[in-house]
Amino acid sequence: MRIALVSDWYYPKVGGVASHMHNLALKLRESGNEVAIVTNYWTTGKEQELEEKGIELIKIPGMISPLLEINLSFGINSSEELFEYLKDFDVIHSHHAFTPLSLKAAKAGRKMKKATLLTTHSISFAHESKLWKALGLRFPIFSHYLKFPHRIIAVSNASKSFIEHFTDTPIRVIPNGVDDKKFHPKWNKERIKEEYGVEGDVVLYVSRMSYRKGPHILLNAFSRLKEGTLVMVGSGDILPFLKAQAKFLGIEERVKFMGYVPSDELPKMFGMADIFVLPSVTAEAFGIVILEAMASGVPVISTDVGGIPEIVGGSRGGLLIPPSNEDALKEAMEKLLTDEKLREELGENGRKAVEKRYSWDVVARNVEETYECVLSQLQK
């Protein structure tokens, strides 16, 4: 098959969509397909790797919003203007349901009688509420474009329930994936701690430093623990505030802000962790970092929002707490840090779930089967 993966939100925009597209492209190419990533006309930082792997990179010209990182020109241009970029592919697979390039590519693919799919990676607040059905009627542009894919893939049941408010297109849930060979539990934990100058039990946070991810909640809860080190990986708007918060709480000596860490160094971050915490406050469609923790055999503490319960609860790989609840978070951290047997049990459960359901080998195979299903229906 010749497959085009299309999105505004490929690298250099860091996030779940870019990571998903990149890893899916690698696996699809590995299984013998011809693959291209179609995105905006900017430097992705992945040019050399894609060329070495035999994956084409097609850059669509147009004005890019510096704030939203979307192709503003294709918010106006017709979908037919994408024909020349997509005409040679069998499968057009858009990523993210609410950005111009993805939506226009879905319409273009359907008009060219290609197998056309779209993966939705997001949800919003009250994603199951009937309110969104009414709001969907107020934004007919989304409903218009979301009727063109032959099939929609949702990364979680939560994201499926959200996108259903905008379309009647058949939806299949295929979760995000993780490279379970890159993230694994076989690190020498003490050696890594020594390398990074970290002592004692390690509580790890890896995500953007933004309000909705809840790092401020984590700092408050952690300040009530008597021992341990909190390692916080990531950058973002509220990072200066978080550093000031740690100082105000009197824990700046026990909190290590790592900033942005390159992807090839991330496995070592998980390799030194005793527990991983993602205290998201609101809508979280999935949470790929949770999979990275589980693949690394690290027990997870996260919140009962969006698609997170499907991963953590479904795998029995960690503990779930209410969002914005510092008491519950403090108690959960204490429980795991004082019970080595429970940590091992949850870590093993998480790793098994990854190997069974979330490994990119499994996820890419399910996506490829979906392509074949759509193609076979078109040939009837």
Side-chain angles (χ1 to χ4, degrees):
M1 287 181 283
R2 294 207 71 216
I3 303 160
L5 306 179
V6 188
S7 184
D8 285 282
W9 283 0
Y10 185 62
Y11 296 109
K13 180 177 175 60
V14 176
V17 177
S19 173
H20 182 107
M21 282 181 66
H22 188 75
N23 285 287
L24 178 58
L26 294 176
K27 281 297 174 183
L28 292 172
R29 183 72 188 107
E30 194 177 290
S31 61
N33 299 287
E34 294 182 48
V35 184
I37 287 176
V38 183
T39 190
N40 292 318
Y41 201 93
W42 51 14
T43 301
T44 68
K46 299 292 183 179
E47 283 79 1
Q48 182 177 342
E49 181 183 0
L50 295 176
E51 184 178 358
E52 291 172 353
K53 298 291 186 181
I55 297 171
E56 188 178 1
L57 179 60
I58 299 174
K59 298 182 179 183
I60 307 297
M63 182 182 296
I64 303 170
S65 164
L67 180 63
L68 299 175
E69 298 177 277
I70 61 174
N71 195 317
L72 295 175
S73 299
F74 269 89
I76 302 170
N77 294 353
S78 69
S79 57
E80 284 81 357
E81 293 183 48
L82 285 174
F83 284 9
E84 64 175 295
Y85 301 101
L86 303 175
K87 63 184 179 182
D88 296 326
F89 294 95
D90 306 307
V91 176
I92 311 300
H93 185 175
S94 294
H95 287 265
H96 201 286
F98 303 102
T99 52
L101 214 52
S102 304
L103 294 173
K104 294 293 174 76
K107 186 172 183 178
R110 189 64 176 255
K111 284 191 169 186
M112 291 188 291
K113 296 182 170 52
K114 310 287 186 180
T116 305
L117 301 93
L118 180 145
T119 291
T120 178
H121 295 261
S122 62
I123 60 175
S124 189
F125 70 93
H127 56 276
E128 295 178 319
S129 170
K130 292 181 180 179
L131 166 70
W132 279 106
K133 182 68 75 174
L135 290 175
L137 296 173
R138 297 291 299 273
F139 296 100
I141 187 170
F142 295 131
S143 297
H144 169 75
Y145 282 102
L146 291 173
K147 70 183 180 184
F148 290 107
H150 293 97
R151 196 80 81 251
I152 288 176
I153 295 171
V155 297
S156 63
N157 287 307
S159 60
K160 176 178 183 286
S161 70
F162 181 58
I163 203 70
E164 282 176 333
H165 296 306
F166 298 90
T167 182
D168 294 324
T169 297
I171 302 169
R172 178 181 180 183
V173 175
I174 302 176
N176 274 310
V178 65
D179 185 341
D180 60 344
K181 299 173 185 63
K182 177 180 177 182
F183 293 92
H184 58 79
K186 297 178 181 178
W187 294 96
N188 185 320
K189 184 176 296 187
E190 296 307 316
R191 185 180 299 169
I192 301 173
K193 288 181 182 180
E194 184 178 345
E195 179 182 341
Y196 287 96
V198 175
E199 297 180 352
D201 293 328
V202 171
V203 177
L204 177 68
Y205 169 94
V206 180
S207 195
R208 289 189 299 277
M209 300 300 173
S210 66
Y211 173 83
R212 74 182 189 90
K213 298 291 185 177
H216 56 296
I217 304 293
L218 175 54
L219 280 173
N220 284 338
F222 181 79
S223 71
R224 296 162 61 187
L225 299 180
K226 295 180 180 179
E227 298 178 345
T229 300
L230 174 59
V231 176
M232 304 192 76
V233 176
S235 58
D237 294 342
I238 68 169
L239 181 56
F241 168 81
L242 295 171
K243 290 180 177 180
Q245 182 184 0
K247 187 173 183 178
F248 174 79
L249 292 169
I251 55 173
E252 58 183 324
E253 298 299 323
R254 297 171 53 212
V255 180
K256 195 172 184 69
F257 291 98
M258 304 293 292
Y260 169 76
V261 170
S263 61
D264 59 352
E265 198 175 336
L266 272 180
K268 293 171 73 174
M269 298 292 103
F270 289 97
M272 70 172 165
D274 293 287
I275 60 175
F276 174 77
V277 181
L278 183 68
S280 299
V281 172
T282 185
E284 190 84 59
F286 196 86
I288 292 176
V289 288
I290 291 175
L291 291 187
E292 293 171 348
M294 287 167 47
S296 304
V298 180
V300 173
I301 299 173
S302 195
T303 47
D304 189 8
V305 297
I308 290 175
E310 299 172 41
I311 315 168
V312 178
S315 67
R316 293 182 295 115
L319 305 177
L320 289 169
I321 60 170
S324 302
N325 190 320
E326 296 172 15
D327 291 335
L329 179 52
K330 181 248 186 185
E331 290 171 7
M333 288 191 291
E334 277 187 334
K335 182 175 184 178
L336 289 187
L337 290 174
T338 56
D339 192 335
E340 184 178 357
K341 185 178 179 180
L342 179 59
R343 291 202 307 272
E344 290 178 356
E345 179 185 338
L346 296 179
E348 289 173 3
N349 289 344
R351 177 67 193 186
K352 288 176 183 176
V354 163
E355 292 173 352
K356 183 178 180 180
R357 294 194 293 274
Y358 301 115
S359 164
W360 265 115
D361 292 325
V362 176
V363 172
R365 187 160 59 245
N366 288 335
V367 171
E368 201 167 353
E369 287 172 0
T370 308
Y371 295 162
E372 291 167 352
C373 179
V374 174
L375 284 167
S376 66
Q377 291 174 349
L378 291 179
Q379 292 165 2
K380 290 181 180 179

